Structure formats: structure tokens, C-alpha cells
Amino acid sequence: MKIRKLFTIISVLFVFGQVAAFAAENAGAVDYSNASVSIKYYNRTIYYPGSADEAPVFVHITIKNNGAETLRFKLADDRSFSMDFNAYTVKNSRLEQTENIIEKRTTNQTVYFRELALEQGEEYSFVENVKNFLKISEPSVYYLELFFYPELYKSKYLTLKSNRLTLEVRPSPSATASNYMPVKDDSVELLKPLDISPDRVVEQTIIARQKSLWDQYFLYMDIESLLQRNPSLKKKYITVSAEERQRMLQSFKGDLMQSRIENDIVAVPESFQIEKTTYSPTEGSVVVIEWFKYPNFSEKKRYTYKVQQREGIWKIYDYTVVNLGTE
């Protein structure tokens, strides 16, 4: 009886010790209920499968203090110890983490970090490449979100969850675009897009159309983006397989050549004049006045070609047309 009583006392003391240890461990825990994390695309562009270096997906991350008290949190120099990206397909299938992330977290190493403090209403932002965290090897539509660990990965039971972004990853340009095409039927010479300015891209495209040089005409065209100007085609395109997308792109190019669709972009001007060119490192527009000759009159139009740079090459991905009357 005495032994049982002694055992009961020891058990109670053990439980009390465990509770006390847990309370001591969490006595200095920070309240993160007034902290928030949000994500948005940084310099949003067209995203493709591939490595982090060749086809990055940059996201701008913001941590904000929404409370009245000072918010303190840790941020690792190697961000893989501070956060995780999660991405899901429409079928709720989750993308795998990169081998590099897994290796870092399963290897004993010193994690260097800074402790940051935000006052009421203050924010702290930085940019990260999603592909340093996730394997994105297939074109698809994904839902992307971030989990931030204010006490680092080892304490990931403390988590701040971000908003969700839709990430559309298109088929690789090498599979969808005509990067290398014969210049003419009896030649083995290959035509390759060059690193030229947006205005020269538009100029060469218009001249190629005037001469009915279709290979050269499509050289600086983002056919995939032009196809998706049509809402019904876009809806179908983003849901079909990669093989079916190839067929859709080829059919779209054939319809352009036959002038069955997008008549304005394939119309042949008698003459043209580049009016204005503006561009940033990744986006630009070229405004062109074009004249079209008919039997009894000439028509004048202003075209605005929207261009985008990818891997050093500018391509036309959209356009608008304004009629300026007849002459």
C-alpha cells in the first residue's frame, strides 16, 4: 500500500515537472496573432517549367505588424529555414520540395539568423525564388501559398500562412515556339531570334509579313499569348494536355496564315512608320502608324504592339489597333 502511494506521488511530481518545464519553455513565447504575411508576384512575367536559374518565379513577401505591441521574429540568412512554399494542382496534388531543401534540413549545421523588430503598422519585405523551394517541372495551373516560421523551421508549430496566388506555368518555349526554323525550303540554314531592341523586333516582323516570309514573321511572335487573347481558346488551352496544346498552337498559326482569325495582326500594310517605343527591362510597347492601300482609298491605323523579354529575346505577345481614318 505504501509502495503504491509512493508511486502515485512520484507520478504526480513527474507530471507536474513536465507541465512546469513546458510552461518555462513557452514563458517567453511571442504572440504572433497580430502578425500577417502576404505574397505577390515580383515583376510578374510568363512562367515556364525548368530550373531556378533558367526559369525563376520571383515572389515578393511582406511581413506586417498589425498590432499595437512590438513584433519580434527571426529571419534566417538561408531562407529555407524560415519558410516553405506550397503549391497544389486543381486536383489538390502537392508539388514536391527540391532535393536541396530536403538535404539542408536533414543535415546538422549551424543556422545563422537575424532577429527583427517591427513597430505598429511596420512591414518587412524581401523577394524569393519559388523554384528554390519547389520542383516545377510540368506546365499546369497551380495554387501557391507561403508558410512563414517566425521562430525558424525547428519551431514550425509556430506558422504564419499567406494569401494564395494562382500560378500558371506554360509549356517550355522550346516546345511551343519556333526558335529554329528553315529560312527557305531549299536551305539548311537555320533562323534564330536575335537579341535586338523592341522597335527592331516589330520592324522585322512587319517587313516579314509584307514579304510573306512566315517563318520570319513568327520568329518574334509569342503565339501562345496571342492564342489566349481569345477567351474560349484560352479556357480550352489551359485544361488540355501538352500534346493537345501543340496541336492547338499549330492550328492557330495555320489560321493566321489563312487570315481566318486575328485579321488585324496579319494585315499587310503598304508602308509603316514607328512612332514611339517605350520599354523597361522586361516589358515594352511599340507604337506604329501603318497605311493600307485599297483600290479607291488608303486607310491609316495606329498599332500598339506589346512586347515582353524572355531569356534576352523580345517577343510580341499582344496588340491593339486604332483606326485613324482614310486618306
Side-chain angles (χ1 to χ4, degrees):
M1 185 72 179
K2 290 182 178 180
I3 295 175
R4 182 179 298 177
K5 185 176 181 181
L6 178 62
F7 178 77
T8 302
I9 293 171
I10 292 173
S11 299
V12 170
L13 289 174
F14 176 77
V15 172
F16 177 79
Q18 292 291 94
V19 172
F22 180 80
E25 181 181 348
N26 291 276
V30 180
D31 179 12
Y32 293 106
S33 60
N34 290 318
S36 65
V37 59
S38 60
I39 58 175
K40 63 181 180 180
Y41 290 111
Y42 179 77
N43 288 340
R44 184 163 189 168
T45 183
I46 301 173
Y47 301 114
Y48 299 98
S51 69
D53 294 330
E54 295 175 354
V57 178
F58 290 115
V59 167
H60 186 270
I61 301 160
T62 298
I63 302 161
K64 184 176 181 179
N65 181 6
N66 299 307
E69 302 297 325
T70 300
L71 172 68
R72 291 182 171 84
F73 61 93
K74 297 179 177 69
L75 184 66
D77 294 348
D78 184 341
R79 303 292 163 74
S80 62
F81 292 101
S82 277
M83 61 192 209
D84 270 318
F85 280 104
N86 283 337
Y88 302 86
T89 67
V90 292
K91 295 182 179 179
N92 209 33
S93 176
R94 183 175 171 178
L95 287 182
E96 295 181 1
Q97 292 180 322
T98 62
E99 285 84 357
N100 190 36
I101 289 285
I102 296 172
E103 182 180 352
K104 285 179 181 179
R105 291 176 176 174
T106 54
T107 302
N108 289 328
Q109 59 178 294
T110 302
V111 177
Y112 297 96
F113 64 89
R114 293 174 292 158
E115 187 168 279
L116 302 178
L118 298 179
E119 299 302 327
Q120 181 179 7
E122 288 186 338
E123 300 177 348
Y124 182 84
S125 299
F126 54 95
V127 176
E128 279 298 318
N129 186 350
V130 175
K131 289 191 177 179
N132 287 330
F133 295 78
L134 297 175
K135 295 180 184 176
I136 304 179
S137 56
E138 297 293 333
S140 185
V141 175
Y142 302 99
Y143 301 110
L144 180 71
E145 59 191 11
L146 173 77
F147 290 96
F148 182 75
Y149 310 126
E151 294 295 325
L152 305 183
Y153 179 75
K154 64 181 177 63
S155 302
K156 63 177 183 177
Y157 59 89
L158 290 172
T159 304
L160 299 177
K161 185 178 178 181
S162 77
N163 56 303
R164 179 176 286 188
L165 298 178
T166 300
L167 173 61
E168 182 181 349
V169 179
R170 302 185 181 183
S172 173
S174 60
T176 62
S178 300
N179 286 342
Y180 296 88
M181 299 178 293
V183 175
K184 47 189 176 182
D185 294 339
D186 57 351
S187 172
V188 294
E189 181 184 0
L190 295 178
L191 188 62
K192 181 180 179 181
L194 302 175
D195 180 9
I196 57 178
S197 61
D199 54 335
R200 287 197 60 202
V201 163
V202 171
E203 179 184 47
Q204 291 196 17
T205 300
I206 296 174
I207 292 174
R209 181 64 191 98
Q210 287 176 323
K211 297 181 178 180
S212 295
L213 300 174
W214 288 107
D215 287 343
Q216 294 183 32
Y217 175 78
F218 289 126
L219 191 62
Y220 296 103
M221 284 285 195
D222 185 345
I223 298 300
E224 186 178 31
S225 293
L226 291 174
L227 178 148
Q228 293 187 79
R229 281 166 48 92
N230 183 309
S232 61
L233 289 178
K234 179 178 180 179
K235 184 178 180 180
K236 179 181 179 182
Y237 186 83
I238 63 177
T239 59
V240 298
S241 66
E243 184 178 354
E244 179 59 27
R245 288 183 177 186
Q246 290 294 313
R247 286 194 288 267
M248 287 184 67
L249 290 171
Q250 292 304 316
S251 175
F252 185 81
K253 288 170 70 174
D255 288 340
L256 285 174
M257 294 170 68
Q258 298 297 320
S259 297
R260 289 195 288 261
I261 55 174
E262 300 286 346
N263 290 327
D264 284 323
I265 194 68
V266 293
V268 184
E270 182 186 46
S271 60
F272 67 94
Q273 179 181 334
I274 294 178
E275 187 176 50
K276 182 181 178 182
T277 302
T278 57
Y279 58 97
S280 68
T282 56
E283 290 271 347
S285 64
V286 181
V287 181
V288 184
I289 302 297
E290 299 184 26
W291 288 267
F292 298 85
K293 187 172 180 60
Y294 298 96
N296 300 319
F297 66 96
S298 292
E299 192 172 31
K300 183 180 179 182
K301 298 182 180 182
R302 176 179 286 112
Y303 279 69
T304 300
Y305 297 91
K306 296 181 180 180
V307 295
Q308 194 168 54
Q309 190 185 65
R310 182 90 189 156
E311 299 177 347
I313 304 298
W314 290 97
K315 288 201 171 186
I316 299 167
Y317 72 94
D318 199 0
Y319 68 97
T320 59
V321 183
V322 177
N323 291 319
L324 300 179
T326 60
E327 297 180 346

